[in-house]
Amino acid sequence: MTIRTILVDDEKLAIQGLQLRLQPFDDVEVIDTCSNGREAIRKIKTEKPDLVFLDIQMPGFDGFSVVKGVMEIEPPLFVFVTAYEEHAIRAFEANAVNYLMKPVDEDKLADTVERVRQRLSEKKSADDAEHLMDVLAEVAPDRAADFGGENAESAERFERLINVKDRGQIFRVEVESIEHIEAAGDYMCIYTGDNSLILRETMKDLERRLDPRKFQRVHRSTIVNLDQVRQVKPHTNGECFLVLDSGAEVKVSRSYRDVVARFVH
């Protein structure tokens, strides 16, 4: 498998040095380079790489802003590269595969590439399983429901408050205030209408903590609080949009159209 890679750094020499160090890895293909955060967000969205080596300290949009800027898509794996050690904790909170100090050590780079290979292999297995569930939900929704097993549980077992560590602070978020949640790899972007926070957790784990009678998956990467849906807007190919109390619109994929049925009487 080829690991399609983008390098992001505002220093030309740093990019050239990293390109040289990556040459021995036959499965790593550098498909593009970027010199700033805005350009990185644009290219990540259009080129959809598997991996991004991302400098943290850049003028304008820093590395963490780039991560937040691509939350709306299936994100690549990130490796942070920087000369500033104090960013290490935030890098791992953002679920980076690894954190490399400049100048990049060849042994640590080799270890990082091996971690990336492992993560991509695990991701493919998870994607295959989720695709199977999507197909099952579409062709036999009554059988797909049997695999959830959550609806029969009592409401008391589900969270009322979620602690979210974001930007060096801990926020206590009331679950009822959550409007919708979008997945980006192993972290979630939680929207409360007037705020958004990043939580390091997989969608599967977060779903177990939320009451399925109120929080439903409407897309493979989106969960919606059904209490905050105020309008259903039909779209093409059996898809539609849910308009939420804040005015935000969330797309419902065909695989989850049974969720919409409860709003249509």
Side-chain angles (χ1 to χ4, degrees), residues 9-238:
D9 200 307
D10 62 324
E11 298 176 7
K12 214 174 254 188
L13 286 176
I15 284 183
Q16 291 172 353
L18 189 52
Q19 282 180 306
L20 285 172
R21 286 173 173 82
L22 286 170
Q23 283 180 356
F25 304 100
D26 294 335
D27 54 345
V28 177
E29 177 190 359
V30 178
I31 60 172
D32 216 331
T33 64
C34 307
S35 60
N36 62 71
R38 289 185 185 277
E39 181 187 13
I41 291 171
R42 187 173 67 253
K43 288 191 175 179
I44 290 170
K45 287 182 176 180
T46 57
E47 300 186 29
K48 296 180 173 56
D50 303 304
L51 174 65
V52 175
F53 283 89
L54 182 60
D55 186 23
I56 292 180
Q57 201 82 2
M58 295 183 292
F61 275 36
D62 64 10
F64 298 113
S65 299
V66 171
V67 173
K68 289 198 73 170
V70 297
M71 289 289 287
E72 65 194 53
I73 64 166
E74 182 91 19
L77 297 177
F78 286 101
V79 174
F80 287 113
V81 186
T82 183
Y84 301 92
E85 198 166 330
E86 66 268 21
H87 292 303
I89 293 176
R90 282 194 69 194
F92 284 112
E93 285 174 354
N95 202 38
V97 175
N98 209 352
Y99 177 92
L100 299 175
M101 294 292 297
K102 295 178 180 179
V104 174
D105 179 81
E106 291 183 3
D107 290 337
K108 288 183 179 178
L109 181 60
D111 176 66
T112 297
V113 171
E114 186 55 41
R115 289 192 198 186
V116 168
R117 290 172 181 144
Q118 183 65 31
R119 288 279 288 273
L120 289 174
S121 174
E122 292 169 356
K123 179 177 180 295
K124 186 179 187 307
S125 298
D127 282 351
D128 288 345
E130 189 158 356
H131 175 67
L132 183 61
M133 285 302 296
D134 285 349
V135 171
L136 184 60
E138 185 167 348
V139 301
D142 54 328
R143 296 299 299 143
D146 293 342
F147 291 87
E150 298 290 344
N151 289 343
E153 299 291 337
S154 63
E156 283 73 22
R157 64 159 295 191
F158 300 108
E159 302 280 2
R160 295 184 179 179
L161 284 170
I162 293 179
N163 293 331
V164 181
K165 188 173 183 183
D166 191 4
R167 298 184 287 273
Q169 302 179 61
I170 295 178
F171 298 86
R172 290 175 62 78
V173 180
E174 289 188 8
V175 169
E176 287 187 358
S177 72
I178 296 175
E179 187 179 73
H180 70 287
I181 301 164
E182 293 181 1
D186 292 340
Y187 39 96
M188 304 286 113
C189 193
I190 297 177
Y191 295 90
T192 60
D194 58 353
N195 197 12
S196 64
L197 299 166
I198 291 180
L199 172 67
R200 182 182 177 184
E201 189 165 350
T202 65
M203 175 167 275
K204 205 165 277 186
D205 288 339
L206 186 56
E207 273 190 302
R208 292 192 187 103
R209 300 168 63 187
L210 300 172
D211 188 341
R213 292 173 297 183
K214 292 187 175 182
F215 290 88
Q216 283 284 313
R217 187 96 70 100
V218 296
H219 191 277
R220 65 183 299 178
S221 60
T222 309
I223 297 173
V224 164
N225 182 347
L226 301 181
D227 288 344
Q228 299 214 26
V229 176
R230 73 181 189 200
Q231 185 184 353
V232 179
K233 293 172 62 176
H235 192 50
T236 57
N237 300 322

